[in-house]
Amino acid sequence: MKFRLLFILMALFIVSATIAQAVSYEEYDLENGLHIILHQDNNAPVVTTSVMYHVGAKNEQPDKTGFAHFFEHLLFEGTKNIERGAWFKIVSSNGGQNNANTTQDRTYYYEVFPSNNLELGLWLESERMMHPIINKIGVDTQSEVVQEERRMRYDNAPYGRWREQMFVHLFKKHPYRWQTIGSLEHLANASLEDFKEFNKKYYVPNNAVLVVAGDIEINRTKKLINDYFGPIPKGNTIDRQTFIEDPITTTIKTVYHDPNIQIPAIFMGYRTPAQTDRNAYILDMISTYLSDGKSSKLYKKLVDEKKMALQVFAFNGSQEDYGAYVVGALPVGETTLADLKNEIDGEIQKLQSELISENDYQKLQNKFENLFVNANGSVSGIANSLARYYILYDDTNLINTEIDIYRSITREEIMQVANEYLKPNQRVELEYLPEAVIENK
């Protein structure tokens, strides 16, 4: 018992020390506008090179959606100096790994190599930025890849289209109303010139941040960066549009029939503020309080105690311009979607009228400190955080201070924000039903 207690105390000490230890970094700009962030950590012989471009699905035109996600794939096709199909072979044969991902706000590419291959990682990303080859064979190849991804993740996956159906009603003006996968029809109808223009506009140094993190020597790294990225021409200034949504004042009710499911679901979505807004952080805590894990309020009530739900969920998807808070459940037995909606509303009403307990509040604080530690617990995680905070928050140092925002949130604020944003007349109610329901009518 004494040994176990000692182990727990040591673990808590390590976590506290990790949280208190600031992430050091250096940042500067090249003449072409490329922002550079360097983080030196010589504890392990690995290095991450990553580039985040400030372009996502929201930068597309309504009749040309899916471009940003498409480029996530297309820019692995090859360059003037990298043969088509050779990218992944180069990375793996040199002991590395790489990937990319796209959201509605940004696109992120990265490589993780043994630190003696730092120069290789920089060369690869400079090639992607300076010498991409965009031709018909690459477009046709990746069109097939994206079509298969659409089928697997959306069209043929159980509950695969709930987000698509929710966001088209939550947003009427903002490009957030379409998903990053976009329209396959739009991609099929796009010309080669359309793709080249999109690349020329957004995948330029002055619309990107390069992060190098890990086992590096600063002066040598700076020289390599200047050698590989300095010659890349600066792009034109990007004119970014602003979209202001009208408030939702009356409940929007909608129904979708999914042929891939047998159990219906209820989704209730609320439009929320941008991720930089303090209230977005508070909504993160509300989401965790309601349904993060088996000790959460909704799980204990609907799954454990009342046996009304097979599953419950809630999350706050904050983004650069707006967010979306979504809560919902899948029923069990004779439970109706209306029953679930009433029970969920009851728990939200408690949040709006009563302060959460001190014990629950402390649990939330502990969870968010753990999330903070885990997000920055590796060199690649630190690289991602540095890029994201710079591009989307315009505050790189949030990698050290964001946890203080969560720590400063009070129980009173949680109650206040629940009252401000989680009103029934401000939401979309999506009944997500099996296709068989149509046949029975």
Side-chain angles (χ1 to χ4, degrees), residues 116-147:
N116 60 355
N117 277 325
L118 164 64
E119 186 170 359
L120 176 60
L122 293 172
W123 174 70
L124 285 166
E125 287 303 331
S126 67
E127 277 292 301
R128 193 197 311 272
M129 187 180 294
M130 190 177 189
H131 296 133
I133 290 181
I134 299 171
N135 56 23
K136 189 176 187 303
I137 187 172
V139 168
D140 289 346
T141 300
Q142 294 308 320
S143 291
E144 293 180 11
V145 173
V146 171
Q147 286 179 41

Side-chain angles (χ1 to χ4, degrees), residues 56-70:
K58 74 174 183 184
N59 300 106
E60 301 159 352
Q61 297 302 313
D63 60 344
K64 294 179 181 179
T65 64
F67 273 52
H69 171 259
F70 191 80

